[in-house]
Each structure stands twice: as C-alpha cells, then as structure tokens.
C-alpha cells in the first residue's frame, strides 16, 4: 500500500505557519511530511523562504508519528556536505529516528546566493555524487578526511550520531541520474510519474528502495478561485526541471511563465473541490510503481480547510486505491 504525505512548502508560508501545519497534518492522518529547502520562492506571489532546517527542528517537537524528510536539500554549493550531514544527524536525533535526508542537484534559484556560479548539470551530478560519499562516510562514524575534485573535508566527525542511521534519498529525472545515484542512495525521489525511472532505479539499486513522488493540487470549494490561485503561485511548475533548475530568480520565472494561461495550469494541476481528479493524478504515480506520494496544497493561507477535507474525504479515498 502506498503512503501519502504532506508538503511543508517553505516558499508559501512562514516558519511559525509551517510548524503549525506540520502538527495539523499529522492530526489529519498523513503518513509523512516533506519540506522544501529554498532560499527564494519560485514567484514573488508565494512570498516566503524560511530556513528549512530550523523549521524541521521545531517540527520534530510538535509531531510524534509522521516521518520527516527534506525534499530536497542541495549539498553542493549553498551547503557544504559535511554541514548537511551534521544537520541531518541532529534532526534524526530530535525526530527519534523519523527523518530521511532527501538530496538533489539543486536549482540556480537558491544556490546562486553564495556567489559561486552555477555549474553545468554534469558537473552538478559529479558534485552531488561526491557529496553523497562524504555524507555517507560521516554517517558511518569516526573521522573523515577527503580531498576530492569538488570538496575538501579535514578530519570531520559527527559527535552526535543518531541510533538510527539517516536514510538517504536522491532526486532523479532521467536515465543518467538514475544510473549514477541508484547505487549510492537508499531511496529514489522524482516529481513525475515515470515508470522508466522506477524500473531503471530498481535495476541499478543496491537493495529494496522506496520511490517518493510529489503532486501539487489546489483544493478549494470554489474551483475558479483554486485555478486563479494555482496560476498565480504555481504556473512555474510546468516548465520542467531542465528549465526550472537553470533560472536565477523570481523575475526570470515570472518572465518565463508570462504566457501560461489559467486553463493551462488547470489542465495539469487538480483544482477545485472534486476528489476524482486528485485520485486520478495520484493513481498515475502508484501505477508507475511509486511507494510514497507527497501532496502540495497550493496557497500558504489555504491549509486549514484542506486538512479537514484530507482527514474526512481525501485520505480515506486514497487508501482505497
């Protein structure tokens, strides 16, 4: 049976809101919660970007049952991988073993802020592979020294290691990234219901893996209001990751999506009060072999009624799929 999660969307809500939403999502019955890790929102209309790790630390103290996950952290430019390992180990301790470290090759949108430029995708994959090696070595315990092509680590050690080793999940988008990271990671992350990613990962993976997807929806009792909100805040989503990873800021995303119409967004994102479009979109993931699907409810101020809907209608229906 698939598991269903809730997304703590740092781009659309402030830190106190996100912590409250995390507690409410657990009460509503979600199985797990994922957090984006951004320095910028995608569009100015979203309006937020608190530090994900600070939020997750607080979330560990207001939840008891749900698994927590970064979706995803980029450990190659804005963060050094040794720091990510420390953050993840500390979060795992605070979460009493409920944390999964989700990693990815990142977006220019967030990584440019430290002024180190934006490498090509093949270089980013090389950096990510090196970062995963460093993080895994630190999770093993003891001192770690590395002198790779992209990172140096000098006698680093995690002094507070959790009893439960932090699982590592890596975001992939095609055959190249699947073949590169399936042997290095515990689980797969992807944001499209592509069966080839699943079968390719299973063929290259080192063991049984979860496949963790994500689906934006815009639930509202008023369908037109939902479409308007999804267009205002989420029209960037249709650009695809090959485009979204390269654009440097909110103005670029606004320019790139200026001709996207509300009806275009409504055709790709379930909008409104009806449950059937959500079930159909989730089914595409489960039929492709995904084991976990995290929902994004679009609109930072439109979560409260969604939790009631999720508890009473959506989650029971999803569990019958």
């Amino acid at each position: 049976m698939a598991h269903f999660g809730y997304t703590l969307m740092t781009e659309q809500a402030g830190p106190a809101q996100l912590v409250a939403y995390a507690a409410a999502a657990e009460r509503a019955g979600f199985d797990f919660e994922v957090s984006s890790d951004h320095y910028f929102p995608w569009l100015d209309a979203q309006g937020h970007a608190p530090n994900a790790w600070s939020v997750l630390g607080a979330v560990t103290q207001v939840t008891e049952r749900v698994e927590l996950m970064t979706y995803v952290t980029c450990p190659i430019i804005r963060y050094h991988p040794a720091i990510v390992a420390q953050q993840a180990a500390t979060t795992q301790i605070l979460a009493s073993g409920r944390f999964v470290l989700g990693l990815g090759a990142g977006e220019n949108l967030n990584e440019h802020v430290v002024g180190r430029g934006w490498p090509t995708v093949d270089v980013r994959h090389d950096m990510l592979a090196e970062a995963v090696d460093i993080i895994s070595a630190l999770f093993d315990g003891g001192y770690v020294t590395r002198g790779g092509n992209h990172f140096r680590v000098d006698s680093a050690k995690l002094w507070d290691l959790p009893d439960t080793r932090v699982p590592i999940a890596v975001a992939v988008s095609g055959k190249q990234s699947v073949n590169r990271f399936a042997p290095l990671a515990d689980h797969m992350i992807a944001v499209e219901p592509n069966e080839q990613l699943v079968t390719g990962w299973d063929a290259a993976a080192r063991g049984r893996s979860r496949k963790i997807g994500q689906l934006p929806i815009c639930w509202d009792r008023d369908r037109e209001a939902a479409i308007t909100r999804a267009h205002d805040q989420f029209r960037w989503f249709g650009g695809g990751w090959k485009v979204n990873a390269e654009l440097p800021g909110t103005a670029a995303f606004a320019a790139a999506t200026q001709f996207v119409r509300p009806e275009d967004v409504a055709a790709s994102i379930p909008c409104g009060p009806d449950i059937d479009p959500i079930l159909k979109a989730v089914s595409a993931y489960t039929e492709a072999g995904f084991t976990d699907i995290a929902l994004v409810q679009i609109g930072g101020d439109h979560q409260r009624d969604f939790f009631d809907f999720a508890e009473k209608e959506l989650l029971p229906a999803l569990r019958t799929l």
Side-chain angles (χ1 to χ4, degrees), residues 225-262:
I227 293 172
T228 298
R229 187 165 76 247
H231 178 261
D232 181 50
Q233 297 194 20
F234 239 77
R235 63 184 183 273
W236 58 271
F237 188 77
W241 291 107
K242 288 185 178 180
V243 173
N244 291 346
E246 304 301 329
L247 298 180
T250 56
F253 278 92
T257 58
Q258 61 182 312
F259 298 116
V260 176
R261 303 169 300 172

Side-chain angles (χ1 to χ4, degrees), residues 196-320:
Q196 292 182 339
L197 295 177
V198 173
T199 56
W201 183 279
D202 283 340
R206 61 191 182 188
R208 188 175 179 87
S209 299
R210 295 161 62 186
K211 289 82 185 178
I212 306 157
Q214 189 179 54
L215 173 69
I217 66 173
C218 195
W219 182 84
D220 196 294
R221 300 190 189 282
D222 183 334
R223 185 169 188 270
E224 291 306 313
I227 293 172
T228 298
R229 187 165 76 247
H231 178 261
D232 181 50
Q233 297 194 20
F234 239 77
R235 63 184 183 273
W236 58 271
F237 188 77
W241 291 107
K242 288 185 178 180
V243 173
N244 291 346
E246 304 301 329
L247 298 180
T250 56
F253 278 92
T257 58
Q258 61 182 312
F259 298 116
V260 176
R261 303 169 300 172
E263 54 265 38
D264 298 327
V265 174
S268 61
I269 296 175
C271 294
D274 295 337
I275 199 169
D276 287 343
I278 302 174
L279 298 181
K280 181 179 179 180
V282 170
S283 293
Y285 279 91
T286 58
E287 290 168 6
F290 281 75
T291 60
D292 304 77
I293 302 96
L295 301 179
V296 180
Q297 162 65 354
I298 298 173
D301 295 326
H302 294 80
Q303 306 296 308
R304 297 293 184 184
D305 288 344
F306 171 72
F307 291 133
D308 185 63
F309 164 69
E311 179 179 7
K312 296 176 180 177
E313 300 180 51
L314 180 57
L315 288 171
L318 287 173
R319 292 191 172 110
T320 67

Side-chain angles (χ1 to χ4, degrees), residues 8 10 13-20 22 35-36 49-62 68:
L8 299 167
T10 60
Q17 282 180 298
L18 291 167
V19 173
S35 174
S36 55
N51 182 272
W53 290 96
S54 298
V55 171
L56 281 169
V59 167
T60 66
Q61 303 304 293
V62 300
L68 304 174

Side-chain angles (χ1 to χ4, degrees), residues 126-208:
D126 287 344
M127 296 174 75
L128 181 57
E130 199 172 305
V132 171
D133 174 68
I134 292 167
I135 293 168
S136 296
L138 286 164
F139 287 168
D140 288 339
Y143 288 93
V144 174
T145 297
R146 289 287 193 278
N149 293 326
H150 302 287
F151 302 107
R152 291 191 60 83
V153 181
D154 183 12
S155 299
K157 176 182 176 179
L158 298 179
W159 287 90
D160 288 278
L161 274 175
D163 293 333
T164 302
R165 183 188 176 93
V166 181
I168 296 175
V170 173
V172 296
S173 59
K175 183 177 180 180
Q176 177 185 353
S177 53
V178 165
N179 290 338
R180 186 73 181 272
F181 295 106
L184 305 179
D186 299 296
H187 306 301
M188 184 190 93
I189 291 171
V191 292
E192 60 175 324
N194 185 335
E195 185 178 0
Q196 292 182 339
L197 295 177
V198 173
T199 56
W201 183 279
D202 283 340
R206 61 191 182 188
R208 188 175 179 87

